[in-house]
Amino acid sequence: LTLSGFLLGTLALAEWSQDGRLNVGRLWEHRAKRILPPVVLTVALVVVLQVVLRVGTGPGFRGDVLAALGQVLNWRFAFSGDGFASVLTDPSPVQHLWPLSVLVQLTVVVPLAFVGLMRATGRRWRTAGAVFALAAAVSFWLALRTARAAGNDGLAYYGTHARAGELLVG
């Protein structure tokens, strides 16, 4: 997520520095073209393997596939109650796609926050950077607080709020 945050931040800052604007729709379209085709292809292959070879069949298969396609897989795992250890006891064939769900969710929200913050701070780039750094620190604090309250899996591991700091640091 940190490398993606660096890429997202670099693209946003480069465009903003040209004319004080960010075409959020174009940014989302560009990111969707890079992220979604491999996700759809991977999920399609997983479904084909499941149908043809019965690989990956489990009670949560359909829900996991739909959550992966809907880019909410991290929240499905966060609220499943099984914790991260379920990857060993009841593995999902799309388990590896949950970080992309976090990335897509943050790619929707962070550019909007960027535009709002840049408009609010004007040309004070350091102020905007400090606010994003504070937001990253809050995310890490929320992750710690959630882990202390409920353990270091589930919501503390998969929650977007707990992972946002990784992207913001980038």
Side-chain angles (χ1 to χ4, degrees), residues 22-34:
L22 175 64
N23 187 332
V24 175
R26 186 176 57 212
L27 184 127
W28 287 338
E29 178 184 1
H30 179 259
R31 298 307 299 152
K33 285 179 180 178
R34 302 257 322 172

Side-chain angles (χ1 to χ4, degrees), residues 26-97:
R26 186 176 57 212
L27 184 127
W28 287 338
E29 178 184 1
H30 179 259
R31 298 307 299 152
K33 285 179 180 178
R34 302 257 322 172
I35 295 171
L36 296 181
V39 169
V40 171
L41 178 63
T42 300
V43 171
L45 288 172
V46 165
V47 170
V48 167
L49 286 172
Q50 195 276 331
V51 169
V52 173
L53 302 175
R54 306 306 280 168
V55 173
T57 302
F61 179 78
R62 177 174 280 163
D64 290 350
V65 165
L66 292 174
L69 290 173
Q71 298 302 314
V72 292
L73 191 59
N74 61 315
W75 290 107
R76 177 170 170 77
F77 292 148
F79 292 117
S80 69
D82 297 334
F84 185 73
S86 69
V87 85
L88 302 173
T89 59
D90 185 24
S92 170
V94 292
Q95 173 80 29
H96 60 287
L97 296 176

